Amino acid sequence: MLAWFKARHWRRLIILAGALALIVASGNWAAQHEMQSKTVALRQAAAAHVLGLRGLVEKHDFLPYAAARHPDVQTLLGTPQDVALQGRVNAYFADLQRTTGAAALFLIDRAGLTLAASNWQLPSSFVGQSYRQRPYFEDALHGRRGLFYGLGLTTGQSGLFIAEPVRVKGAILGVVVVKISLEPLQSAWMRGSDPVVLRDSHGIVFLSAVPEWLFHSIQPVPPADLRWISGHRQYGSRERFAVLPWRREPAGDAAGFVLHTTVQGQQRELFALDTPLPELGWTLTVTTDMKEVVQARQAALMLSALAVALLLLGILYWRLREKRFVEQRTARLELERRVEERTRDLEEAHTFRKAMEDSLLVGMRARDPAGTIIYVNPALCAMVGYAAEELLGRRPPYPYWHPDDLEKQARESDAVLQGRAAPQGFESRIRHKDGHDVITMVYTAPLVDAQGVHRGWMSSVVDITAQKQAEARQRDQELQLARSARLASVGEMASTLAHELNQPLMALSNFAVAARALAAQGVTDMLAGTLDEIVEQSRRASEIVKRVRVFINPQRAHHESLRMENVISHAALLLKPELQRHGVQLQLLLDDAAAPVRGDTVLLEQVLVNLIHNALQAMQGQPAHCRTITLSCQRAEQLLTISVADAGPGIPPEQREQIFAPFFTTKPDGLGLGLNICRTIIEAHGGAMTVENRAGGGAVFTFTLPVEA
């Protein structure tokens, strides 16, 4: 037996571990799937940004090459004192700058002095400025194409510089430089929701959608690189570059990485992807928010946890039901028969509705503005029983209009033709050609052709006859289920009623024996009092039987004006022996219990008896000094609020939504119908019932009743 219990314990642990593993795996799978989707999206975004950068560079790449071969440019390098020639070159550069959209073009001699520039007429003209320390100038003098991004020495504005050597008879006499501004690209990035960053070969960010990241590096810049940057004044007078506020971590199997950073003072978690641009010596970083990944993981975890919880609850419910079947064979067979009948009815109803849905065809009818039918589909013809030839060209009243609803349907038709059709549709009863009635829902929308001209009205007609019939059957089934639930609940309260009947019956027997002894002794003065007690105990037994009969058949309930203080006092009197037997104290706080309400005394007594009895059972494991039930009655405007509070363990949060559900119970031998029936009784009296946990421990059940005017 001990080995069996150990094996059972290990099976439960394995099942629990498997369930947790399944939940975690589903969350990881969802997050990984979302990461893969984001990786694809980032690659596409990176490709688009790279294409834009390369396109911008390639658009202006030919300018220095073409300008270096212009005769005036080459001649000016040989005769820099020629003012007229210098003016022509300046005008030529200005025209190229306006035509291509470049930031500037300028010509530098071998000494690094600017001879001509497109901005020669501006205060910030490059003419006369020396750019000998610029890397692009050094590369061009050595016969290589120069490419450099940095801040302008004259204007202080950033840009991409492309330099081309000017060769005359094979000798390099100077350098032509074009400056391209990347600020429009940065402005476009700033308008986006996800940050985009471009950094140079030293790891320094020189273009960013987040302004506070500019001129920061991804890691400390080596001293040698700092000396090179400072010597070439790549970023003006800046000599120190703070490290970016980034914390990177791998993204699992994804190609990118997860970036933890601060944007505009807010903490953000981004998924980032680096794309190198080797021909430019840059690295492009595109990002996207990780919020969708977190949401996908959370949703998967919640759904899988819910599925596992439902499965475990189903297994638990099955085990409890099997235990109940073993303990009460007869009750189990009866309940099984009812469940089978209910299951069969539900399956039949489900099969019928499924077949109806599978075979459902929506009727379509088009009418011109005057109401003439210009189109019908076969589904509408089958619905009304008329052929298309019998309907086309007809004007109201139509042959399928129900003879008893002609005026109503005429009003609805006029409203549709005047453009006042209800957007949620309207219900209409029509008469089939063979004489039977069909109930439909009609939805109408304007009929507009491809040119936007209003041609009439298009109506979709849905046959809801079967739905109406199914709803009626469903209501009948719910009434039958409610009666079955009330009958099942009688068994649950049988022990309490048997105890109550036993007391008056024993009292009847004792008083009868006493009366016979008094009669034999001829003591007539005490005989009358004994007979009165016999009558009172007989009446009490009759009331107990009456409660059972009324509870089984609520139609016998008798609603009358009553005061809850009387109902509460009688319920407390009924449960007094059981409360004393379990050492439980019932505390009554009846401030407004005298307010008049209308209801059935017996049913309201049963609600109180059930709630007090549940509170008594909830405190079985509590210390003796804590076993107190508080029953309070307070009035708020036109509502009387009655509360029953215990000092038990309370209701677990996961069970509060199900506590009133039929067949839900936490008792090993309970049917789970008592609280559901109590709430049904209170709602039948125009009130509501709720449950909450007390701050100091325990649960409190509260219901309201309307106060009579």
Side-chain angles (χ1 to χ4, degrees):
M1 181 62 71
L2 181 60
W4 181 81
F5 276 112
K6 288 183 177 180
R8 184 179 181 185
H9 176 71
W10 279 109
R11 282 199 301 270
R12 290 179 178 177
L13 290 178
I14 292 172
I15 292 173
L16 180 60
L20 292 176
L22 178 62
I23 293 172
V24 173
S26 64
N28 292 337
W29 178 87
Q32 190 65 30
H33 184 269
E34 186 67 23
M35 290 286 285
Q36 292 175 356
S37 301
K38 285 190 173 293
T39 301
V40 173
L42 284 180
R43 285 175 175 167
Q44 294 174 350
H49 289 306
V50 169
L51 185 62
L53 283 169
R54 288 172 174 166
L56 185 64
V57 175
E58 292 173 358
K59 174 183 176 182
H60 301 87
D61 191 45
F62 73 97
L63 282 178
Y65 179 84
R69 280 147 184 80
H70 194 280
D72 288 348
V73 173
Q74 295 180 351
T75 303
L76 181 61
L77 289 172
T79 58
Q81 297 82 13
D82 190 337
V83 177
L85 180 60
Q86 184 184 30
R88 289 199 302 273
V89 173
N90 285 335
Y92 171 62
F93 283 171
D95 182 61
L96 283 180
Q97 184 269 331
R98 287 191 301 270
T99 303
T100 61
L105 281 91
F106 52 99
L107 175 66
I108 308 174
D109 63 11
R110 287 188 60 86
L113 185 66
T114 303
L115 302 179
S118 61
N119 62 352
W120 56 275
Q121 77 280 18
L122 299 178
S124 58
S125 171
F126 295 166
V127 177
Q129 300 293 330
S130 175
Y131 298 106
R132 183 179 184 83
Q133 71 269 41
R134 287 299 199 180
Y136 59 80
F137 174 75
E138 299 173 358
D139 291 340
L141 282 184
H142 288 85
R144 299 187 299 271
R145 176 172 172 268
L147 191 68
F148 176 75
Y149 183 91
L151 299 181
L153 297 177
T154 302
T155 63
Q157 296 178 350
S158 62
L160 175 64
F161 298 87
I162 305 176
E164 186 73 23
V166 181
R167 289 184 171 87
V168 178
K169 296 181 181 181
I172 299 176
L173 300 183
V175 177
V176 174
V177 184
V178 60
K179 179 181 180 181
I180 306 169
S181 176
L182 300 184
E183 290 184 357
L185 182 63
Q186 181 172 258
S187 299
W189 289 359
M190 289 181 177
R191 290 192 294 270
S193 59
D194 297 323
V196 182
V197 172
L198 193 63
R199 62 181 188 268
D200 61 15
S201 58
H202 306 294
I204 299 173
V205 174
F206 63 87
L207 211 63
S208 171
V210 181
E212 56 262 33
W213 291 352
L214 282 174
F215 306 116
H216 286 64
S217 64
I218 60 172
Q219 58 187 6
V221 181
D225 291 353
L226 288 175
R227 287 192 297 273
W228 187 91
I229 294 171
S230 177
H232 293 86
R233 299 186 64 190
Q234 182 175 6
Y235 297 116
S237 59
R238 291 181 179 84
E239 297 182 355
R240 293 289 182 269
F241 301 91
V243 178
L244 283 167
W246 289 4
R247 183 169 61 85
R248 300 163 56 123
E249 63 180 36
D253 297 335
F257 55 91
V258 178
L259 183 63
H260 301 273
T261 184
T262 302
V263 179
Q264 296 180 353
Q266 295 182 352
Q267 294 291 331
R268 292 190 63 180
E269 187 178 18
L270 305 172
F271 180 54
L273 182 69
D274 284 343
T275 302
L277 285 77
E279 71 276 14
L280 300 175
W282 300 341
T283 300
L284 176 70
T285 303
V286 292
T287 67
T288 184
D289 206 302
M290 286 285 290
K291 185 183 299 181
E292 290 82 359
V293 177
V294 175
Q295 291 174 347
R297 182 192 300 274
Q298 292 176 346
L301 289 174
M302 292 175 62
L303 290 176
S304 57
L306 178 60
V308 171
L310 290 175
L311 178 60
L312 294 177
L313 285 175
I315 295 173
L316 179 60
Y317 171 73
W318 177 80
R319 292 176 63 86
L320 290 175
R321 195 178 69 170
E322 286 297 317
K323 182 179 180 180
R324 182 67 176 174
F325 286 168
V326 172
E327 293 175 351
Q328 296 183 348
R329 179 69 177 179
T330 303
R332 183 183 65 82
L333 292 175
E334 178 64 20
L335 184 59
E336 186 178 37
R337 181 184 64 81
R338 293 174 184 167
V339 171
E340 288 176 355
E341 290 178 357
R342 176 60 178 159
T343 303
R344 183 166 57 254
D345 292 341
L346 290 175
E347 288 177 352
E348 291 176 357
H350 176 73
T351 303
F352 176 76
R353 287 196 297 270
K354 186 66 170 62
M356 184 172 62
E357 293 169 0
D358 293 343
S359 61
L360 179 64
L361 296 175
V362 178
M364 303 299 295
R365 176 195 65 195
R367 296 185 292 173
D368 64 13
T372 304
I373 297 177
I374 57 177
Y375 168 77
V376 292
N377 68 343
L380 183 65
C381 295
M383 194 180 301
V384 301
Y386 292 91
E389 294 77 11
E390 298 177 272
L391 297 177
L392 294 176
R394 296 293 298 267
R395 301 184 65 178
Y398 304 122
Y400 52 80
W401 277 8
H402 199 283
D404 297 338
D405 297 340
L406 290 178
E407 294 183 3
K408 174 177 177 293
Q409 292 181 330
R411 289 195 303 271
E412 293 171 345
S413 178
D414 291 341
V416 170
L417 296 177
Q418 294 172 13
R420 294 184 285 104
Q424 71 274 15
F426 60 89
E427 186 176 313
S428 177
R429 181 176 60 162
I430 62 176
R431 177 64 61 85
H432 194 273
K433 187 176 182 180
D434 63 8
H436 73 270
D437 293 348
V438 179
I439 303 176
T440 63
M441 281 295 295
V442 183
Y443 305 89
T444 304
L447 181 61
V448 182
D449 62 13
Q451 288 73 35
V453 179
H454 179 241
R455 296 297 185 183
W457 305 93
M458 174 63 76
S459 298
S460 58
V461 185
V462 182
D463 184 355
I464 62 172
T465 305
Q467 177 183 342
K468 292 291 185 179
Q469 295 172 352
E471 289 175 355
R473 285 196 300 272
Q474 183 69 19
R475 286 192 296 271
D476 293 341
Q477 292 169 358
E478 289 176 354
L479 290 175
Q480 293 174 5
L481 179 60
R483 181 174 177 83
S484 298
R486 288 192 297 272
L487 290 174
S489 182
V490 171
E492 189 173 82
M493 63 182 201
S495 59
T496 301
L497 294 179
H499 180 269
E500 293 299 323
L501 283 174
N502 184 57
Q503 288 183 350
L505 291 177
M506 289 296 296
L508 281 172
S509 176
N510 293 335
F511 284 128
V513 172
R516 185 172 60 184
L518 292 173
Q521 297 173 8
V523 185
T524 57
D525 53 345
M526 299 179 61
L527 183 59
T530 304
L531 293 177
D532 290 340
E533 291 292 340
I534 292 176
V535 172
E536 174 62 23
Q537 295 300 325
S538 299
R539 187 193 62 78
R540 183 180 175 190
S542 176
E543 285 297 323
I544 294 173
V545 174
K546 180 182 177 182
R547 282 206 308 277
V548 178
R549 296 178 63 189
V550 170
F551 187 68
I552 294 175
N553 189 358
Q555 285 75 14
R556 298 178 183 176
H558 176 63
H559 286 242
E560 59 183 353
S561 179
L562 53 88
R563 299 185 185 277
M564 281 305 297
E565 59 183 353
N566 299 330
V567 179
I568 293 172
S569 298
H570 194 262
L573 183 61
L574 291 175
L575 290 174
K576 182 177 180 181
E578 188 167 359
L579 292 170
Q580 292 177 346
R581 185 168 64 253
H582 290 87
V584 176
Q585 180 183 0
L586 178 61
Q587 182 181 9
L588 301 180
L589 304 176
L590 309 181
D591 297 338
D592 301 315
V597 297
R598 188 167 187 82
D600 187 283
T601 304
V602 176
L603 294 181
L604 293 177
E605 280 184 6
Q606 181 56 37
V607 171
L608 287 172
V609 168
N610 201 338
L611 294 180
I612 296 173
H613 192 266
N614 285 350
L616 185 148
Q617 291 183 337
M619 296 189 299
Q620 291 301 307
Q622 302 298 321
H625 66 278
C626 296
R627 298 182 183 179
T628 301
I629 300 174
T630 303
L631 194 156
S632 60
C633 182
Q634 295 179 340
R635 177 175 179 175
E637 296 181 356
Q638 295 303 313
L639 285 179
L640 191 64
T641 302
I642 297 94
S643 300
V644 178
D646 61 58
I651 307 297
E654 65 274 9
Q655 295 181 0
R656 286 176 58 188
E657 295 297 329
Q658 311 173 63
I659 197 70
F660 294 108
F663 304 111
F664 177 81
T665 180
T666 58
K667 304 174 185 176
D669 56 349
L671 289 177
L673 297 171
L675 288 176
N676 177 262
I677 294 173
C678 286
R679 186 174 65 174
T680 302
I681 292 174
I682 295 303
E683 290 175 351
H685 282 72
M689 178 174 286
T690 59
V691 61
E692 297 289 342
N693 282 331
R694 303 174 67 187
V700 54
F701 285 83
T702 304
F703 64 88
T704 60
L705 294 173
V707 178
E708 277 192 316

